[in-house]
Amino acid sequence: MFRHRFRMNKTLFLRIVQSLSTELPYFQQRRNAHGRLGLSALQKCTAAIRMLAYGQSGDMYDEYLRLGESTSRLCLDNFTNGIIQLFGAEYLRRPTPADLQRLLDVGEARGFPGMVGSIDCMHWEWKNCPTAWRGQFTRTLNDINVLDRSPVFDDILQGRAPKVNFKVNNHTYHMAYYLTDGIYPHWATFIQSIPLPQGPKA
C-alpha cells in the first residue's frame, strides 16, 4: 500500500527523510515562538513526494498533513534541492567504466552490440506534472532542448566519446552509440532506428 501511495518503497522513503533531516536545517523539527514543535521532516517529505507522485497542488495536504499551500510549495522546493545536494554525486554522475560496460552488455544481450542506450528511454515522463507547470515544461523542454542543455553528451561533443570496439555486418566500429529516432541530429554516436519496420530483420 505504501508503494502504491508514494511510488517508492518505504525503506527508500525513510532513508531520504533521515538524510534530509540529518543534513539540512530546513528539515529539522524546531519549536516555534510558543514552544510548540513545528512541522516534522516526515510531514515535509510526505508533502513533497505526494506532489511529485500525483501532480497535485500544494493545498491538497492542508488537512491531511497540516500544511498550507505556500508551505507545501516551499517543502517541494527544499526537497528537490536537498535531493540534488545529498544524492547528486551518487545518482547524477557520469557513468564509470563499470557502468558503461554493464550498459554495453545489456545492449549486446538485446542484439545491439556497442549500444549504450536509447535516447527516448533515458528520461522519465512526468505524466502527473501539475497543470500549471505542464505548458511551461512541454513548450520549453522538449527532447531537442533537453539535449542542448544536458551535460550527458558533453564528452561526445568534445570528441571524448567512449571507445568501444564491436563488429556489425563484418564492419568494425570504434565508438559506442545511442539509438534514436529521426528528430535527433546526425551525429556519429546517434543511430536512427527504422521508423516503420517491415519484416523480422527490420
Side-chain angles (χ1 to χ4, degrees), residues 13-30 39-42 44-45 78-79 82-83 85-87:
F13 177 74
L14 292 176
R15 178 184 169 215
I16 291 170
V17 173
Q18 177 64 33
S19 298
L20 291 172
S21 63
T22 303
E23 299 293 328
L24 302 176
Y26 179 80
F27 290 95
Q28 294 165 0
Q29 191 173 32
R30 296 183 294 272
L39 299 169
S40 71
L42 203 54
K44 293 174 181 178
C45 290
N78 280 282
F79 180 85
I83 293 295
Q85 179 183 332
L86 297 179
F87 299 103

Side-chain angles (χ1 to χ4, degrees), residues 28-173:
Q28 294 165 0
Q29 191 173 32
R30 296 183 294 272
R31 294 192 179 275
N32 64 18
H34 293 285
R36 289 186 299 195
L37 283 174
L39 299 169
S40 71
L42 203 54
Q43 287 172 290
K44 293 174 181 178
C45 290
T46 299
I49 290 287
R50 294 293 297 261
M51 287 172 75
L52 289 169
Y54 295 102
Q56 296 169 331
S57 63
D59 62 357
M60 292 292 293
Y61 309 104
D62 52 1
E63 291 181 28
Y64 170 55
L65 294 169
R66 303 285 185 217
L67 293 173
E69 182 178 7
S70 61
T71 305
S72 292
R73 282 199 315 266
L74 191 60
C75 289
L76 179 61
D77 189 42
N78 280 282
F79 180 85
T80 53
N81 290 334
I83 293 295
I84 291 168
Q85 179 183 332
L86 297 179
F87 299 103
E90 185 177 353
Y91 296 106
L92 300 175
R93 59 173 172 72
R94 288 190 167 125
T96 64
D99 294 332
L100 181 60
Q101 189 58 54
R102 181 178 47 80
L103 293 170
L104 290 167
D105 291 343
V106 168
E108 187 158 4
R110 293 179 176 160
F112 295 95
M115 183 183 77
V116 178
S118 171
I119 294 290
D120 288 317
C121 296
M122 290 174 63
H123 58 261
W124 292 342
E125 177 186 357
W126 190 8
K127 71 179 180 65
N128 291 322
C129 178
T131 309
W133 297 348
R134 188 171 290 128
Q136 171 190 351
F137 285 122
T138 54
R139 241 189 352 263
T140 59
L141 293 180
N142 60 35
D143 288 349
I144 297 300
N145 291 337
V146 168
L147 178 64
D148 289 340
R149 297 172 60 159
S150 172
V152 172
F153 299 102
D154 286 352
D155 283 348
I156 292 170
L157 292 172
Q158 301 300 321
R160 296 187 305 260
K163 301 294 184 240
V164 175
N165 294 316
F166 63 96
K167 188 178 272 195
V168 174
N169 293 332
N170 292 323
H171 189 276
T172 303
Y173 296 89

